[in-house]
Amino acid sequence: MSQRTLNHSVILLLITIFIVSVNMRPAITSIGPMLDIIRDDLSLTNAQVSLLTALPVFCMGLFASMAPVLNRRLGLNRSMYLMLFAIGFMTMLRGFYSNYALLIISAIFIGIAIAIMGPLLSAMIKQSFPERSTSVIGVYSFGMGVGSSLGAGLTAIFFESTESYSFSLGIWAVLTIVGILFWKLSMKGNIRVRQQETVITEQRKTGAVSPWRQKKAWLHLLFFGLQASSFFCIITWIVPVVTDAGMSLVQASMLLSLMMTIQIVLNLLFPLLYERFPKRKFWLFLFLTMGLIAIALLGSGISTLMWASAFFMAIPLAGLFPIALLFPLDATETAEDTNTWTAMMQTGGYLIAGFLPLLIALLYDWTSNHHYTLLILAGLFVAMIGLTFLIGERETKVE
C-alpha cells in the first residue's frame, strides 16, 4: 500500500470514528429539551419521563461487558453494523409512535447498542493508533460532543417548527444512515480487536489479573460514573432548572445550545492539550472548579449569570469525558486489555450515572424545587475532586 493510499485510509478511519461517535448521543440528549412537553402530553410524572434518559444510561452500564463477547463471536465489523442499525431503527420508531411504552422500549435498546459500541471503539483506537491514542480519543469525544449538542440544541428548534415532539425525536435516525455508510467504506473484512500472542502466552503463564480485582480500576469506574452522572443530569435537567427560574423554553434551549456549542470546540481542543501537557490532575482540578462556579451561577437565578454559567459548565462537560476515556488506555498495554478495562469502567460507571437523574426527578416530584438538583450537581463535582487525589497522575511506562 502506498503512503498516499495509507494516509487516505487513516483519514477515512478518523472520519468514520467521528461520525459513528456522533450517533452515540442524540437519541438520549434530544429527550431533555422535550422533557416537560412529553410529560404534559402523556400525563406522566417527572420520575416517569426521566426514565427515558435514565434507562439507556442504566443499559449502557449493564451491557458494556457484552462488547468483548460480541467482538469474539461476531467481530468488530458485524457488531458495529448491528449496533448502528439498532440505534437508527429504534430512533426512527419514535418518529411514528408517540406513546410511553415505545419510548421506554426504544430507550432500552438504544442504551444496549451504545453500551457495546463504546468499549469496541476505545479498543479499536488503541489497536489502530497505538502511538496517537490520546489524539484519536479526542476525535471520538469530539464526535460525541457534536452528537450531544445536535440532540440537545436542535430538537427544540424542530419542535418549534413542526409542533411534533415525535418528529423532533425521530429525525435523528438519519445520522445512523451516514454512520453505516462510512463504516462500510472504511472497514473491510471481519475485523476483531486482537491481542498480541506474546502477551496472551505470558498471561497464561502468570495469570492475568482481572480489572475487577484492582483498586485503580475501581477508582476509574467511580470517577467515570460521577462524570457521566454530571453530564446526563445537566443535559436532562438544565432546561427545566432555568425555565423554573423564569426563562422561556426557547431561551432555555438557546442557553443549552450555547453550552453545547462551546463544548464542541473544547472537545477537540482539550485532548490535544492533554498530549502536550499530560498532567492529569491539573486538568481535573481546573475542570471541576469551573463546574462548581457554573452551579453557583445557575443557582443565582439571575438571567445574566445563568447565561454566563453556560460557558463555565461547557468546560467540565468537554474535558472530563476524554480524560476518563484515557484512564484505561494509560493503565493497559494491549487493545484487548483496554477493551476489558473500558467495559468494566463503563459497566459500573453508567449504572451510577443512570441513577442520579432519576433521583433528581424523584426529589423534584416530592419538593417541586430545583435547589436540590443544584446541590446534587455540586456534590458530584466535590466527590470527583476527592477522587482526583486518589487516582493521581498517569503512570509512565518503562519501555
Side-chain angles (χ1 to χ4, degrees), residues 160-175:
E160 291 291 330
S161 300
T162 64
E163 296 185 354
S164 169
Y165 68 81
S166 296
F167 174 85
S168 304
L169 299 178
I171 188 64
W172 300 111
V174 172
L175 292 176

Side-chain angles (χ1 to χ4, degrees), residues 54-69 111-112 114-116 118-119 211-212 217-218 220-222 224-229 325 328 338-355:
L55 279 176
V57 181
F58 276 126
C59 291
M60 287 158 64
L62 286 171
F63 294 95
S65 58
M66 285 181 61
V69 177
I112 293 172
I114 296 171
I116 294 168
W212 292 98
W218 280 97
H220 293 173
L221 182 156
L222 186 54
F224 186 88
L226 295 181
Q227 69 82 25
S229 296
L325 284 182
T338 300
N339 194 7
T340 304
W341 277 62
T342 304
M344 175 202 167
M345 182 178 74
Q346 295 190 7
T347 295
Y350 280 130
L351 287 175
I352 296 170
F355 173 72

Side-chain angles (χ1 to χ4, degrees), residues 205-223:
K205 290 178 181 178
T206 61
V209 180
S210 166
W212 292 98
R213 298 174 60 185
Q214 299 193 49
K215 178 183 176 182
K216 175 160 282 190
W218 280 97
L219 292 175
H220 293 173
L221 182 156
L222 186 54
F223 188 94

Side-chain angles (χ1 to χ4, degrees), residues 62-322:
L62 286 171
F63 294 95
S65 58
M66 285 181 61
V69 177
L70 279 183
N71 176 59
R72 288 192 294 269
R73 296 194 176 183
L74 299 180
L76 176 69
N77 211 355
R78 293 175 184 171
S79 297
M80 293 298 288
Y81 276 131
L82 184 60
M83 297 307 107
L84 282 167
F85 176 79
I87 292 175
F89 181 70
M90 287 297 163
T91 304
M92 179 191 68
L93 287 181
R94 291 177 171 181
F96 293 98
Y97 303 99
S98 57
N99 64 77
Y100 187 59
L102 183 278
L103 290 173
I104 288 291
I105 292 169
S106 64
I108 292 171
F109 279 97
I110 287 167
I112 293 172
I114 296 171
I116 294 168
M117 290 169 67
L120 287 178
L121 273 180
S122 291
M124 187 190 76
I125 290 169
K126 178 81 170 184
Q127 178 172 291
S128 302
F129 303 93
E131 304 300 325
R132 305 289 296 181
S133 294
T134 301
S135 297
V136 182
I137 283 290
V139 176
Y140 173 22
S141 62
F142 177 58
M144 294 184 73
V146 170
S148 298
S149 302
L150 291 174
L154 295 182
T155 301
I157 295 175
F158 290 144
F159 176 75
E160 291 291 330
S161 300
T162 64
E163 296 185 354
S164 169
Y165 68 81
S166 296
F167 174 85
S168 304
L169 299 178
I171 188 64
W172 300 111
V174 172
L175 292 176
T176 60
I177 299 173
V178 182
I180 290 171
L181 175 62
F182 269 85
W183 190 264
K184 182 174 180 62
L185 289 173
S186 63
M187 293 294 172
K188 306 295 182 184
N190 191 25
I191 302 169
R192 282 180 171 80
V193 172
R194 63 183 181 273
Q195 188 172 13
Q196 295 175 357
E197 191 63 35
T198 55
V199 176
I200 296 174
T201 303
E202 186 64 26
Q203 286 181 344
R204 284 172 180 167
K205 290 178 181 178
T206 61
V209 180
S210 166
W212 292 98
R213 298 174 60 185
Q214 299 193 49
K215 178 183 176 182
K216 175 160 282 190
W218 280 97
L219 292 175
H220 293 173
L221 182 156
L222 186 54
F223 188 94
F224 186 88
L226 295 181
Q227 69 82 25
S229 296
S230 66
F231 175 83
F232 287 110
C233 286
I234 291 162
I235 294 302
T236 302
W237 287 104
I238 192 169
V239 169
V241 165
V242 297
T243 53
D244 194 54
M247 282 191 177
S248 68
L249 177 60
V250 173
Q251 289 175 320
S253 297
M254 289 176 63
L255 184 146
L256 180 58
S257 297
L258 173 64
M259 183 178 73
M260 302 306 289
T261 301
I262 297 170
Q263 182 198 344
I264 287 176
V265 177
L266 297 180
N267 266 133
L268 192 59
L269 174 64
F270 283 148
L272 298 176
L273 292 174
Y274 302 156
E275 198 164 76
R276 189 173 179 85
F277 307 102
K279 295 295 184 182
R280 307 279 193 247
K281 285 173 67 175
F282 166 78
W283 292 111
L284 289 172
F285 285 131
L286 174 66
F287 299 151
L288 296 169
T289 301
M290 294 299 101
L292 289 172
I293 292 173
I295 292 167
L297 295 175
L298 278 174
S300 71
I302 300 171
S303 179
T304 304
L305 296 182
M306 288 193 292
W307 280 102
S309 73
F311 171 78
F312 287 97
M313 190 62 80
I315 296 173
L317 290 187
L320 292 175
F321 179 72

Side-chain angles (χ1 to χ4, degrees), residues 339-384:
N339 194 7
T340 304
W341 277 62
T342 304
M344 175 202 167
M345 182 178 74
Q346 295 190 7
T347 295
Y350 280 130
L351 287 175
I352 296 170
F355 173 72
L356 267 298
L358 186 58
L359 175 62
I360 289 174
L362 291 170
L363 283 173
Y364 188 65
D365 276 335
W366 181 39
T367 65
S368 298
N369 193 320
H370 275 304
H371 291 313
Y372 295 98
T373 304
L374 298 175
L375 285 175
I376 289 172
L377 290 174
L380 290 173
F381 284 109
V382 171
M384 282 187 278

